[in-house]
């Protein structure tokens, strides 16, 4: 609680230095996130892939791996879904097409996670650098496809590939980006993640590997298999997030299809100290901040990047608070 109060004071100081009012900023961000049904729908549509990415990261973080390749895994899932949808002819049953697209996203993200794990475990490359390298590779591949083989007819644009038929999009509420099916997928993934981490032998083995790799190996736990599994599961969940970006939000492949939700999920997981039961409220908070910040340039002439400062400050002071608490016990 003390860390949260200090974080709020720090954030207020930054806002004052920016010639803003903390109360006006809070009101503006609230209005930007919840001021209308369309804005709230945008919060929920952002929440869905964020939940999936955070669920995936829980597995790698629990096994002691800092999987910074989550952005690339989201992008790989989106690319795989786009590839599948481009092969499907008009008139194909939409439900089957969308299902196949999501399955393709799972495979694409899972493969990207597997490659990151192989670089780390067999190539002896730090998972941090391996992940970042795979991020750049996936981003480069997306750019190549958007401006190359998959470019829009007659023009290559940052707006992305040719939009898919409305039939190949998840149904949404009204004219918003909110898809109840996407939310249901994210919630199911969250429940499965919580059960696997907290109530299964698999989750217990992941914790053992994360707490002490050598001791886990001595006890007969297949540490390599556990770590590779965590990479693949994380990639698969991130791949679903990428698929939802294609079939529920953008309806095409764009260069920045991940929308930095992978890095935002990293903040979520670090802030909750890898507790899956806290993913939903913290992810909802970050999603609200992310969407609400879009109102700041319009109503207060403040840069929307202020949201990143708020999110970063919350994480920083939470980590500092946790570290000081551990020091006081020693």
């Amino acid at each position: 609680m003390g860390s949260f109060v200090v974080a709020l004071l720090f954030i207020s100081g930054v806002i004052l230095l920016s010639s803003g009012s903390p109360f006006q900023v809070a009101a503006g961000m609230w209005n930007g996130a919840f001021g209308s049904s369309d804005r709230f729908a945008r919060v929920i549509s952002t929440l869905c892939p964020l939940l999936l990415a955070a669920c995936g990261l829980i597995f790698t973080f629990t096994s002691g791996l800092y999987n910074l390749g989550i952005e690339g895994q989201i992008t790989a899932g989106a690319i795989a879904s786009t590839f599948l949808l481009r092969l499907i002819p008009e008139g194909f049953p939409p439900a089957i097409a969308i299902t196949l697209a999501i399955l393709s996203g799972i495979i694409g993200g899972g493969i990207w996670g597997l490659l990151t794990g192989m670089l780390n475990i067999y190539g002896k490359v730090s998972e941090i650098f391996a992940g970042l390298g795979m991020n750049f590779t996936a981003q480069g591949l997306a750019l190549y496809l958007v401006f190359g083989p998959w470019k829009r007819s007659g023009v290559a644009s940052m707006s992305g590939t040719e939009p898919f038929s409305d039939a190949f999009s998840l149904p949404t509420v009204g004219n918003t980006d909110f898809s109840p099916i996407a939310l249901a997928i994210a919630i199911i993934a969250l429940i499965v993640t919580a059960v696997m981490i907290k109530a299964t032998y698999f989750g217990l083995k992941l914790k053992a590997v994360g707490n002490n790799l050598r001791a886990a190996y001595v006890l007969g736990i297949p540490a390599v298999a556990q770590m590779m599994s965590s990479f693949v599961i994380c990639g698969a969940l991130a791949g679903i997030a990428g698929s939802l970006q294609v079939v529920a939000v953008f309806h095409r492949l764009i260069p920045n299809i991940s929308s930095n939700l992978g890095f935002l999920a990293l903040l979520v997981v670090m802030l909750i100290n890898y507790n899956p039961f806290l993913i939903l409220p913290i992810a909802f908070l970050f999603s609200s901040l992310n969407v609400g910040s879009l109102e700041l340039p319009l109503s207060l002439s403040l840069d929307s990047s202020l949201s990143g400062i708020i999110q970063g400050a919350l994480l920083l002071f939470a980590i500092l608070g946790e570290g000081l608490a551990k020091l006081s016990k020693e």
Side-chain angles (χ1 to χ4, degrees):
M1 184 63 181
S3 300
F4 182 71
V5 172
V6 174
L8 289 181
L9 291 174
F10 174 81
I11 294 166
S12 298
V14 170
I15 293 172
L16 290 171
L17 288 174
S18 303
S19 302
S21 164
F23 297 104
Q24 288 181 336
V25 168
M29 295 187 74
W30 178 272
N31 183 58
F34 308 109
S36 68
S37 58
D38 286 349
R39 292 173 180 177
F40 181 66
R42 194 174 301 123
V43 170
I44 302 301
S45 67
T46 302
L47 175 65
C48 296
L50 182 58
L51 281 176
L52 286 159
C55 286
L57 286 170
I58 284 287
F59 287 94
T60 50
F61 274 58
T62 300
S63 63
L65 298 165
Y66 293 89
N67 181 19
L68 268 62
I70 187 73
E71 282 279 309
Q73 290 149 26
I74 293 173
T75 302
I79 291 173
S81 291
T82 302
F83 173 76
L84 188 284
L85 289 174
R86 288 176 61 86
L87 295 178
I88 293 178
E90 290 287 341
F92 196 84
I96 298 176
I98 293 172
T99 301
L100 291 175
I102 294 174
L103 290 174
S104 294
I106 292 173
I107 294 171
I111 290 174
W112 218 252
L114 176 65
L115 292 174
T116 305
M118 292 177 68
L119 284 172
N120 172 236
I121 296 170
Y122 299 111
K124 305 302 180 184
V125 179
S126 164
E127 73 271 15
I128 294 175
F129 295 114
L132 291 174
M134 294 299 287
N135 286 348
F136 285 120
T137 304
Q139 181 69 26
L141 179 59
L143 281 168
Y144 166 72
L145 293 171
V146 168
F147 286 91
W150 294 352
K151 70 179 181 180
R152 302 180 73 167
S153 179
V155 61
S157 168
M158 289 295 286
S159 62
T161 59
E162 199 72 40
F164 295 114
S165 166
D166 290 341
F168 293 158
S169 299
L170 285 177
T172 57
V173 176
N175 294 321
T176 70
D177 292 333
F178 168 48
S179 169
I181 296 176
L183 180 60
I185 291 172
I187 295 298
I188 291 171
L190 179 59
I191 294 171
V192 171
T193 296
V195 170
M196 288 184 68
I197 294 295
K198 292 292 187 179
T200 67
Y201 187 49
F202 176 78
L204 185 62
K205 290 191 291 185
L206 278 185
K207 292 174 189 174
V209 171
N211 289 332
N212 193 316
L213 179 60
R214 183 176 294 275
Y217 179 77
V218 171
L219 290 171
I221 296 175
V224 170
Q226 293 298 121
M227 291 190 291
M228 289 298 292
S229 296
S230 68
F231 271 116
V232 173
I233 292 172
C234 182
L237 289 168
I240 300 175
S243 294
L244 294 183
Q245 291 289 85
V246 172
V247 300
V249 179
F250 296 107
H251 313 293
R252 62 189 182 277
L253 179 68
I254 65 172
N256 188 29
I257 191 71
S258 70
S259 301
N260 295 322
L261 290 174
F263 290 134
L264 193 59
L266 283 166
L267 296 182
V268 171
V269 174
M270 293 175 71
L271 189 60
I272 64 175
N273 197 26
Y274 321 152
N275 184 350
F277 295 118
L278 296 177
I279 290 178
L280 182 57
I282 300 302
F284 181 77
L285 171 64
F286 276 32
S287 178
S288 302
L289 290 173
N290 206 42
V291 174
S293 65
L294 300 176
E295 179 70 14
L296 297 181
L298 302 176
S299 61
L300 300 176
S301 299
L302 294 173
D303 197 282
S304 60
S305 61
L306 183 60
S307 170
I309 296 175
I310 295 173
Q311 294 164 0
L314 289 172
L315 174 63
L316 173 63
F317 285 100
I319 293 174
L320 286 175
E322 182 182 346
L324 291 173
K326 289 181 179 179
L327 285 175
S328 65
K329 294 178 181 178
E330 294 178 355

